[in-house]
Amino acid sequence: MERFADEADVVIVGGGPAGLSAAIRLKQLASQHEKELRVCVVEKASQIGAHTLSGACLEPTALSELIPDWKERGAPLNTPVTEDKFSILTEKYRIPVPILPGLPMNNHGNYLVRLGHFVRWLGEQAEELGVELYPGYAASEVLFHEDGSVKGIATNDVGIAKDGSPKDVFERGMELHAKVTLFGEGCHGHLAKQLYKQFNLRGNCEPQTYAIGLKELWVIDEKKWCPGRTEHSVGWPLNRNTYGGSFLYHLNEGEPLVALGFVVGLDYTNPYLSPFREFQRWKHHPSIMSTLEGGNRIAYGARALNEGGFQSIPKLTFPGGMLIGCSPGFMNVPKIKGTHTAMKSGMLAAESAFSKITDENLQSETAGLYIPEYEEAFKKSWIWKELYSVRNIRPSFHNYFGLYGGMVYTGIFYWILRGKEPWTLKHNGLDADQLKPAKDCTPIEYPKPDGKISFDLLSSVALSGTNHEHDQPPHLTLKDDSTQSFSCVYEYVPLETGDGMRLQINAQNCVHCKTCDIKDPSQNINWVVPEGSGGPAYNGM
Amino acid sequence: MSARVLVGVKRVIDYAVKIRVKPDRTGVVTDGVKHSMNPFCEIAVEEAVKLKEKKLVKEVVAVSCGPQQVQETIRTALAMGADRGIHVEVSGKDYETLGPLQVSKILAALAKKEQADLIILGKQAIDDDCNQTGQMTAALLDWPQGTFASEVNIEADKLKVVREIDGGLETIKINLPAVVTADLRLNTPRYATLPNIMKAKKKKIANVKPADLGVDVSSRLEVLKVDEPPQRQAGVKVETVHDLVGKLKEAGRI
């Protein structure tokens, strides 16, 4: 069956901060220079912002560059940071650590936001400028010209039954062709994974390393609510060799809302470790419980985030396409901020694409435009400088003293030298290779969830509103059906015949966090995109 | 056949979302929450489009009542195959109190204005579960109704409807014009594909106010409060029948 095909000037995969900033920038330039430009954004979530999840503490630098009058336009930056606290937790106590000005975790001038709502607002700005937004449609395939350059993308065929046969409602996906395609799929994008191989984009950089972030929104007792208070912690319940920490932000959005969460580096070595349960356990720390007691959990979600920073930045442009945002990965890890850099990368990509597309005298060697100017602009930008200066902080944790060694390194080299030390520390290799065999590790006894502060995984997943059309092929594909052991989605169930277990993949429970694809030691799991509109239904996460 | 079908579509909170009651207990939180077309309305649209494909009707008009956002729902109906849309603008307090009686008055007025021959609606909306709009619309128009339809056929000038009832299936023959409400097994709605969404942007959606149709949308009902259902208490396991009888007596049940 032939697929319907349409042409645009630029197609953007992913309606997140990077993709929408790129779209907005393109339309701003088009209007400035009185040119017509067709910009289409495809987004797998049913509505813009529904798959967005982040702390989040936003540095408004990129936003002010993109939309200087963001305040008048009603951008939902309602909570300026008023108090900034950092501490080391032990099982019972909390040791405050002073945040000296100049340390990356200083948040003066930043805003606590519900990133999903911010992304929704960006979407509205984009639509006003004439960007065509298509939420509910997932880009599942990269299309190539005969010369090997990227031609565009295709959305997935829908109406396929679990066994792969077409149902009555089967429809072919459509092809969207473009002069250049921007890929902004967020952390560990599945199309980006293909592109790395196709164009050997990772030949000169370290493999990306990741963490998983778990987050909840709580409505708390008004007496405990301090809008603008920003708290971060490290230490308990993680041991000193497992990278991770927590955040707790008091939002100012009408009701006494706090956003809290836990991040665990995916280079953890103990297969008994469950990031979800560490998160639930952390909430029982006396200093956290005091805030949550009497409150009500209203949302839950999870997403992988990139931690590789400077050392893991791949080649960003290839014939016909460019990578933007958390997909190649520009997160400033010690600041735990990636939104401002993602937005800036989208803007830089848009600017270089615009001049190439509108250049009437352009002679392109390939059918899809090759735009190395993006990479050059990127290297001259503040993203590059910022990521360079913090490049050694995350890898400095790979020492015997773990967390404490890392903090000492940060204190000495970052605070004093601002990352000017001449060496660049390496990461430890792929996260997937870090797990030690179970027999060499101590099982962790996690407390049972009490249903008031801590909860079980299935009720948490239900709270994310995640849903998929059930009769479709599972989108968590295995190259080979062997041993998998992740939580809500993968479980071993007894065979109906009685002896032995079989692997059951409950793909319906997937919140699209991508952690399984990252952490699987055998790299067997390949996450592909399910039918559009499926997945979580986050509201302002 | 020159028949025109009016299909009502309602924008409701998506069925997979966990509902939260607003802190002031006047309703549920809707801001930013994922919404989609009521599943029974999707089935209604699909049936209308199928009738058009069989050339039994000439035009399918999708209608929705509500604020700006319902235009997305109408677009989805257009992408599924409806020819044009009508957006009846109701917003603010009027939208919060909009119920079956006002909607059926609006649909009746539109049916007369558009000279519709058939109205297809979902049997009920999944947010209020009223199951009243189809029936009220038929009564206001003095038209026959075929509700809970699991099969619809046009034979000569009459409509043959198979209805899902408690006892099984009931087949009735009714005159046109008529109102039909769609039940689950009527059909499987098609996907609104991306090319069709793009084409739907070019289809017309007319804007109308209830006052233009002579309809007063003020409500005769006042919602006093909205609460979560009571938490289900844990059960108690008993060892013997003796214990069970004892517990029932304790609870004053026997």
Side-chain angles (χ1 to χ4, degrees), chain B residues 105-160:
Chain B
K105 286 180 184 168
I106 291 171
L107 289 176
L110 278 173
K112 290 196 192 116
K113 185 161 176 275
E114 299 286 333
Q115 296 176 308
D117 302 285
L118 178 60
I119 299 179
I120 310 184
L121 305 174
K123 70 171 179 179
Q124 67 197 56
I126 60 169
D127 52 5
D128 54 20
D129 275 342
C130 283
N131 197 316
Q132 295 166 7
T133 307
Q135 294 87 334
M136 286 178 170
T137 309
L140 287 170
L141 287 166
D142 198 24
W143 286 7
Q145 56 184 263
T147 52
F148 307 100
S150 66
E151 218 182 294
V152 172
N153 280 307
I154 300 189
E155 289 178 5
D157 260 344
K158 298 202 199 288
L159 213 58
K160 191 165 110 176

Side-chain angles (χ1 to χ4, degrees), chain A residues 129-197:
Chain A
L129 290 170
V131 174
E132 290 176 51
L133 291 180
Y134 296 112
Y137 295 98
S140 66
E141 198 186 322
V142 183
L143 304 169
F144 297 94
H145 289 286
E146 271 178 28
D147 62 11
S149 59
V150 170
K151 189 177 178 186
I153 53 99
T155 58
N156 46 14
D157 296 343
V158 290
I160 305 177
K162 257 200 162 86
D163 61 6
S165 60
K167 299 190 280 195
D168 285 335
V169 287
F170 175 80
E171 299 272 359
R172 283 232 71 187
M174 85 170 262
E175 297 189 9
L176 263 176
H177 302 164
K179 303 194 172 96
V180 66
T181 308
L182 270 50
F183 293 87
E185 299 168 280
C187 178
H188 204 73
H190 74 290
L191 293 182
K193 208 175 160 185
Q194 286 174 34
L195 291 166
Y196 292 145
K197 276 213 203 76

Side-chain angles (χ1 to χ4, degrees), chain B residues 165-220:
Chain B
I165 61 173
D166 287 347
L169 296 172
E170 177 192 61
T171 310
I172 59 170
K173 215 177 223 172
I174 53 179
N175 291 331
L176 284 166
V179 175
V180 167
T181 71
D183 207 323
L184 195 61
R185 275 162 279 265
L186 181 56
N187 59 50
T188 307
R190 67 195 62 192
Y191 285 90
T193 60
L194 185 52
N196 286 339
I197 286 273
M198 289 176 168
K199 286 187 202 139
K201 293 208 170 179
K202 302 198 182 88
K203 293 186 182 173
K204 286 193 61 119
I205 299 181
N207 290 325
V208 169
K209 292 198 178 51
D212 300 340
L213 301 168
V215 175
D216 171 18
V217 286
S218 53
S219 177
R220 293 179 170 133

Side-chain angles (χ1 to χ4, degrees), chain A residues 170-444:
Chain A
F170 175 80
E171 299 272 359
R172 283 232 71 187
M174 85 170 262
E175 297 189 9
L176 263 176
H177 302 164
K179 303 194 172 96
V180 66
T181 308
L182 270 50
F183 293 87
E185 299 168 280
C187 178
H188 204 73
H190 74 290
L191 293 182
K193 208 175 160 185
Q194 286 174 34
L195 291 166
Y196 292 145
K197 276 213 203 76
Q198 182 84 12
F199 293 102
N200 190 22
L201 301 172
R202 300 207 74 101
N204 268 337
C205 65
E206 291 199 37
Q208 186 61 265
T209 62
Y210 302 88
I212 179 173
L214 303 122
K215 175 182 172 179
E216 289 175 356
L217 282 178
W218 281 64
V219 175
I220 57 171
D221 186 343
E222 229 183 303
K223 295 196 261 327
K224 310 193 179 169
W225 179 49
C226 308
R229 173 181 284 178
T230 307
E231 296 178 26
H232 293 107
S233 80
V234 291
W236 191 84
L238 299 176
N239 66 29
R240 67 168 194 263
N241 290 108
T242 305
Y243 185 82
S246 75
F247 64 89
L248 201 159
Y249 302 147
H250 292 243
L251 292 160
N252 189 10
E253 307 246 343
E255 43 179 353
L257 206 59
V258 294
L260 62 148
F262 206 74
V263 173
V264 179
L266 287 178
D267 56 348
Y268 65 83
T269 54
N270 187 346
Y272 291 103
L273 190 144
S274 157
F276 174 78
R277 291 167 117 173
E278 298 289 352
F279 173 37
Q280 298 300 323
R281 176 154 81 143
W282 162 78
K283 286 187 282 175
H284 282 280
H285 188 275
S287 68
I288 311 297
M289 255 192 34
S290 57
T291 307
L292 297 181
E293 242 153 10
N296 218 11
R297 180 178 78 153
I298 62 166
Y300 164 84
R303 183 70 171 92
L305 43 125
N306 49 77
E307 295 211 319
F310 185 82
Q311 294 88 323
S312 305
I313 299 176
K315 195 158 173 302
L316 299 172
T317 87
F318 41 94
M322 298 192 268
L323 296 172
I324 55 175
C326 279
S327 179
F330 305 126
M331 198 171 92
N332 180 327
V333 178
K335 267 193 197 175
I336 40 168
K337 292 181 177 59
T339 311
H340 62 307
T341 49
M343 290 175 70
K344 181 66 176 171
S345 71
M347 291 157 64
L348 291 172
E351 284 156 12
S352 19
F354 183 78
S355 25
K356 264 291 196 341
I357 293 174
T358 52
D359 183 351
E360 273 139 21
N361 300 322
L362 182 69
Q363 306 264 39
S364 175
E365 273 178 23
T366 50
L369 294 178
Y370 178 53
I371 311 182
E373 289 80 356
Y374 167 46
E375 197 129 16
E376 286 158 26
F378 178 79
K379 290 194 173 131
K380 296 202 189 92
S381 71
W382 51 257
I383 313 179
W384 185 263
K385 290 196 195 66
E386 194 179 313
L387 293 180
Y388 183 78
S389 71
V390 297
R391 73 196 181 289
N392 284 326
I393 296 183
R394 176 68 175 92
S396 69
F397 282 70
H398 299 307
N399 64 75
Y400 180 73
F401 295 103
L403 168 68
Y404 304 109
M407 291 179 75
V408 167
Y409 184 95
T410 306
I412 299 176
F413 290 99
Y414 183 78
W415 192 56
I416 300 175
L417 289 179
R418 291 284 189 278
K420 292 201 179 70
E421 66 270 30
W423 55 83
T424 299
L425 299 175
K426 280 188 168 355
H427 296 305
N428 243 5
L430 279 178
D431 288 334
D433 294 335
Q434 303 305 320
L435 281 181
K436 297 208 182 87
K439 60 177 171 54
D440 294 340
C441 299
T442 14
I444 306 179

Side-chain angles (χ1 to χ4, degrees), chain A residues 4 6 46-47 120 134 137 158-159 169 171 174 219 255 298 463 465 467 531 533 537 539, chain B residues 15-18 20 23 31-35 188-195 197-198 201:
Chain A
F4 180 78
D6 203 358
S46 58
Q47 53 193 45
R120 180 178 63 171
Y134 296 112
Y137 295 98
V158 290
V169 287
E171 299 272 359
M174 85 170 262
V219 175
E255 43 179 353
I298 62 166
L463 204 52
N467 193 34
E531 280 182 12
S533 293
N539 177 10
Chain B
Y15 73 92
V17 167
K18 186 140 201 303
R20 187 163 72 103
D31 182 44
V33 173
K34 179 178 174 185
H35 282 68
T188 307
R190 67 195 62 192
Y191 285 90
T193 60
L194 185 52
I197 286 273
M198 289 176 168
K201 293 208 170 179

